[in-house]
Amino acid sequence: MGGGFGGKEFQPHGLAAVAALGATLTGRPVSLRLNRTQDITMTGKRHPFFATWEAGFDSGKRLCALRATLTSNGGWSLDLSEPVLARALCHIDNAYWIGDIEVTGRVAKTNRASNTAFRGFGGPQGMIVVEDILGRCAPALGVEPHELRHRNFYAPGQATPYGQPVRHAERLEAIWSAVLEHSEFGRRQAEVAAFNAAHPDTKRGLAVTPVKFGISFNLTAFNQAGALVQVYKDGSVLINHGGTEMGQGLHTKMIQVAATALGVPIHLVRLAPTRTDKVPNTSATAASSGSDLNGGAIKHACDQIRERLATVAAGQLGVDPDDVRFGGGIVTGIGFADRQIAWADLVRDAYYQRVQLWAAGFYRTAGLHWDAMSMQGEPFKYFAYGAAAAEVEVDGFTGAYRLRRADIVHDVGDSLSPLVDLGQIEGGFVQGVGWLTLEELRWDETDGPDRGRLNTQAASTYKIPSFSEMPPQFNVHLFEQATESGVVYGSKAVGEPPLMEAFSVREALRQAVAAFGPAGWSVTLGCPSTPEAVYWAVQAARDAGPKTRTGQAVPVHARA
């Protein structure tokens, strides 16, 4: 099982070994349960990254060159640090075309808990680098941050640094326009400026950021799935697939796929627990690909069954099998709407004709190829796009802030289940806000036996988002007319990409902090951007002298 809230893809092996040792020694079943403090202390976290970069812009304020080094903190063992770093390297460009780019990645071994997979799997750590670059360089270039981002979008026909064409790049432009419209960005930008002019000790910031996130496992072999679909004599349907449900709504979507493929009401479809004696060699339910892979396998199995049933129905309706249609539990023929066969009756007749009523399905993502040595190829089936606008208010005395409003436009293709996808977008965004602005790990740095011990071991010291961090206005729009070819019913993955839409909140904090300083002040803001980090950034902005250069395309060398 993959990310979700992290760590389940690899680290359970060690805990299972402890339980297995206990079972071997006692000859009895053993259940290992860690309390919260043990769990947080022992298990790995999202990889912290240290990035150094140099960026160059041309006269058109376009990011024309980038040289960067990404160093991840792997902890005491390698775990999944290599593929996490690989995905970070493949996402440092985010939604922006960079003509000349050189990025190096490395994993550092440290004496901390072994860091591991989390939602986004390196993508967020790579994407935040380019967002930080644009946010910090915009004042030096004398251009609004949202305009600088817009100028650097991928255009149709351009390819990523690793050689993959960016299909549907025009959607970035459409989504960007939609989020500006839905968020009333122009009007609110003027309101923010007026508010900041009238309030010397409280400032607001409004920012909008895009997302381009690749969907598929970087390791091509993992992009496969199987399914077993069984139709019983009474017309009921049982499906088995290789994905696991972790609260993301996968089972709901798979039931919907089977019901749609067979043309039956949802109440006729049941789902059996995931078992490898029914569907072997399953890939991890990870990389946001659970619906794509398992949905494709279920549809393949259902299509086989429907094809056999169409032959039976064609004989009764007097039509060609290709003209048989399934829908709403009724089977008809094109041009013969007066003749109908109930689904249950057709299944019963097929049974008596000794027609096979079960099928094994298989799906492999087509068109993928990746050379891990040269870091070139097409590792992703498609890109998920989105954009978010966020407004924050910062207290200049304490650094405390609140998120006032968030507007998101996200591309889920032709959604399999809009309510499930809305929940995923909202949840991913809030989890991203926690990662970027609240959830700070602190380690004991004193000399002594506790040096290196994790101090933030509980919810009392490790702040996660709660209702108080939710924006009073939270608007999510699914991008329309967004059919994706080559995937199950034109849908797109939705698990991980919304997490990165929270970049808009951090960039809004940067805008608010900048309002405390002189015009054109470029803000350096730590991450996570906690109230403490915001407070010190506000102090730096207030202390800035008139020597600050504005409106100049100066070179920027930075550490993020």
Side-chain angles (χ1 to χ4, degrees):
M1 190 150 68
F5 283 85
K8 295 179 289 295
E9 191 170 351
F10 193 92
Q11 300 221 338
H13 302 151
L15 304 179
V18 174
L21 178 61
T24 300
L25 293 175
T26 63
R28 301 182 64 182
V30 170
S31 174
L32 175 65
R33 299 183 183 182
L34 305 181
N35 63 35
R36 180 59 57 83
T37 299
Q38 292 170 328
D39 190 303
I40 294 179
T41 303
M42 292 171 57
T43 58
K45 317 295 186 288
R46 184 188 294 275
H47 287 76
F49 270 55
F50 177 81
T52 60
W53 52 264
E54 297 176 86
F57 293 82
D58 62 19
S59 58
K61 314 294 175 66
R62 291 181 176 83
L63 180 57
C64 57
L66 174 64
R67 180 186 295 120
T69 299
L70 306 184
T71 304
S72 76
N73 183 335
W76 69 270
S77 74
L78 200 54
D79 197 279
L80 291 169
S81 296
E82 288 177 304
V84 166
L85 179 62
R87 186 166 280 254
L89 294 172
C90 287
H91 282 83
I92 194 170
D93 58 322
N94 191 14
Y96 314 108
W97 186 74
I98 307 169
D100 190 351
I101 184 170
E102 178 185 291
V103 186
T104 303
R106 57 186 181 179
V107 181
K109 183 178 181 179
T110 68
N111 64 347
R112 294 183 181 177
S114 183
N115 291 312
T116 189
F118 261 75
R119 194 176 195 170
F121 202 81
Q125 293 98 312
M127 293 161 68
I128 196 174
V129 174
V130 73
E131 292 300 334
D132 192 61
I133 291 170
L134 296 177
R136 292 170 68 174
C137 292
L141 294 167
V143 63
E144 292 282 352
H146 72 278
E147 176 58 29
L148 183 61
R149 290 183 166 90
H150 184 213
R151 290 187 188 193
N152 284 282
F153 280 175
Y154 274 104
Q158 292 178 333
T160 65
Y162 47 90
Q164 176 157 354
V166 181
R167 289 197 308 126
H168 302 311
E170 66 280 358
R171 290 188 186 178
L172 276 170
E173 187 75 36
I175 290 171
W176 190 258
S177 298
V179 80
L180 293 180
E181 178 184 349
H182 287 302
S183 66
E184 305 170 284
F185 189 83
R187 176 185 64 79
R188 290 170 56 210
Q189 196 175 32
E191 290 178 355
V192 166
F195 178 92
N196 290 345
H199 296 79
D201 297 315
T202 305
K203 303 293 184 182
R204 291 177 180 174
L206 176 63
V208 57
T209 58
V211 165
K212 175 186 71 67
F213 190 82
I215 301 298
S216 289
F217 288 95
N218 276 69
L219 182 61
T220 303
F222 287 171
N223 296 287
Q224 59 176 299
L228 176 64
V229 177
Q230 301 165 106
V231 177
Y232 293 90
K233 287 186 292 182
D234 64 352
S236 62
V237 181
L238 180 66
I239 60 175
N240 295 263
H241 65 85
T244 52
E245 176 64 59
M246 61 183 93
Q248 81 279 38
L250 176 63
H251 285 348
T252 299
K253 286 187 173 183
M254 296 305 94
I255 290 172
Q256 291 174 308
V257 168
T260 302
L262 295 174
V264 301
I266 283 181
H267 72 266
L268 289 180
V269 183
R270 295 178 297 124
L271 189 141
T274 303
R275 293 174 58 101
T276 51
D277 60 353
K278 299 294 189 296
V279 180
N281 306 322
T282 60
S283 296
T285 305
S288 304
S289 61
S291 295
D292 285 0
L293 297 178
N294 296 289
I298 287 174
K299 187 175 183 298
H300 179 232
C302 291
D303 287 347
Q304 296 174 58
I305 296 170
R306 190 176 64 181
E307 184 177 348
R308 297 171 196 148
L309 292 174
T311 302
V312 177
Q316 298 182 20
L317 296 171
V319 300
D320 188 273
D322 291 338
D323 294 333
V324 174
R325 295 293 181 267
F326 296 76
I330 300 297
V331 183
T332 62
I334 296 178
F336 295 87
D338 57 325
R339 299 188 219 167
Q340 297 182 345
I341 307 172
W343 164 262
D345 294 339
L346 178 61
V347 169
R348 184 197 60 225
D349 294 344
Y351 169 77
Y352 282 108
Q353 294 181 35
R354 297 186 296 178
V355 173
Q356 181 179 332
L357 293 174
W358 59 270
F362 180 75
Y363 177 82
R364 61 190 296 271
T365 308
L368 304 182
H369 58 92
W370 179 244
D371 186 331
M373 296 300 295
S374 64
M375 293 287 287
Q376 291 291 303
E378 298 189 24
F380 306 121
K381 175 65 175 176
Y382 56 82
F383 294 103
Y385 300 112
E391 181 179 343
V392 300
E393 184 174 297
V394 171
D395 184 330
F397 292 113
T398 64
Y401 49 82
R402 61 189 182 97
L403 177 57
R404 302 185 72 246
R405 176 173 170 177
D407 293 86
I408 298 173
V409 176
H410 195 81
D411 175 16
V412 295
D414 291 338
S415 176
L416 293 175
S417 183
L419 287 177
V420 169
D421 288 348
L422 283 171
Q424 285 283 285
I425 294 168
E426 292 170 350
F429 176 82
V430 172
Q431 191 175 16
V433 171
W435 168 57
L436 290 167
T437 69
L438 295 173
E439 301 177 36
E440 184 175 30
L441 294 165
R442 287 296 184 96
W443 309 82
D444 192 322
E445 297 180 0
T446 61
D447 291 329
D450 289 335
R451 181 176 176 84
R453 183 182 296 275
L454 182 66
N455 286 333
T456 49
Q457 300 176 352
S460 60
T461 52
Y462 184 79
K463 174 61 178 162
I464 62 175
S466 62
F467 281 115
S468 61
E469 280 75 44
M470 294 286 285
Q473 286 184 268
F474 194 0
N475 306 311
V476 178
H477 303 270
L478 301 184
F479 185 60
E480 298 177 350
Q481 298 179 340
T483 300
E484 183 67 30
S485 60
V487 291
V488 59
Y489 293 121
S491 65
K492 274 187 170 183
V494 71
E496 292 168 306
L499 182 97
M500 280 69 76
E501 282 158 350
F503 289 148
S504 59
V505 177
R506 182 171 183 269
E507 291 306 302
L509 288 172
R510 189 196 303 275
Q511 301 277 90
V513 170
F516 285 97
W521 175 248
S522 180
V523 173
T524 301
L525 187 59
C527 191
S529 305
T530 61
E532 181 181 3
V534 170
Y535 172 80
W536 290 115
V538 168
Q539 296 310 304
R542 282 175 162 165
D543 293 342
K547 61 182 178 297
T548 304
R549 292 185 289 178
T550 62
Q552 301 178 37
V554 296
V556 179
H557 304 264
R559 299 174 183 268

